[in-house]
Amino acid sequence: QEQLVESGGGSVQAGGSLRLSCAASQFVIDTYVMAWFRQFPGKEREGVAAMDPDGTTHYLDSVKGRFTISKGNRDSILYLQMESLQLDDTATYYCAASSGAGWLMVTPSAPSLVLYWGQGTQVTVSA
């Protein structure tokens, strides 16, 4: 059964950095569009970063220049490097795999395009 497991969440002060990891099992992430989503309490999940199989990346405007999505060199690992974290980056972050177009993964329709979800990891940014 296909599975995604996130790690690396935690608490950080504003301006700090965190790196999230997502380990995939039972499928090869290189054949999917891989993405990171986040969810604020009471809100829909929103895609913040996505990577096409060819390595093209897409970002939500509010995280451009601060977040970087990447893949591990050998293992099926997806990363999200988050820099200059802000209070409103506080959310639960999810790893996801999709067969849709990468640019769609940072639009409001993104959650409906996801095939597999991770369980989520909490990121809390404090003043």
Side-chain angles (χ1 to χ4, degrees), residues 38 59 61-68 81-86 88-89:
R38 65 186 179 188
Y59 294 96
D61 283 348
S62 62
V63 307
K64 281 181 182 176
R66 300 190 299 120
F67 290 11
T68 303
Q81 180 68 41
M82 303 185 293
E83 307 281 351
S84 302
L85 282 161
Q86 303 168 357
D88 55 8
D89 291 319

Side-chain angles (χ1 to χ4, degrees), residues 10-16 38-41 62 66-67 83-93 122-127:
S11 298
V12 64
Q13 287 190 316
R38 65 186 179 188
Q39 187 170 25
F40 306 113
S62 62
R66 300 190 299 120
F67 290 11
E83 307 281 351
S84 302
L85 282 161
Q86 303 168 357
L87 297 180
D88 55 8
D89 291 319
T90 295
T92 303
Y93 285 73
Q122 178 67 33
V123 171
T124 302
V125 184
S126 59

Side-chain angles (χ1 to χ4, degrees), residues 3-115:
Q3 191 174 23
L4 294 167
V5 179
E6 300 97 337
S7 60
S11 298
V12 64
Q13 287 190 316
S17 304
L18 277 176
R19 188 176 79 160
L20 305 182
S21 300
C22 171
S25 58
Q26 303 303 317
F27 72 101
V28 178
I29 64 171
D30 288 344
T31 61
Y32 290 84
V33 169
M34 298 300 298
W36 287 96
F37 285 71
R38 65 186 179 188
Q39 187 170 25
F40 306 113
K43 301 290 187 181
E44 294 289 321
R45 293 181 189 181
E46 64 175 10
V48 297
M51 179 177 280
D52 294 337
D54 69 357
T56 301
T57 56
H58 311 272
Y59 294 96
L60 190 67
D61 283 348
S62 62
V63 307
K64 281 181 182 176
R66 300 190 299 120
F67 290 11
T68 303
I69 187 172
S70 63
K71 294 178 184 175
N73 288 332
R74 291 187 295 176
D75 298 332
S76 279
I77 303 288
L78 184 73
Y79 299 105
L80 184 68
Q81 180 68 41
M82 303 185 293
E83 307 281 351
S84 302
L85 282 161
Q86 303 168 357
L87 297 180
D88 55 8
D89 291 319
T90 295
T92 303
Y93 285 73
Y94 296 87
C95 175
S98 172
S99 58
W103 67 271
L104 284 172
M105 303 308 290
V106 292
T107 68
S109 62
S112 65
L113 303 173
V114 172
L115 297 174

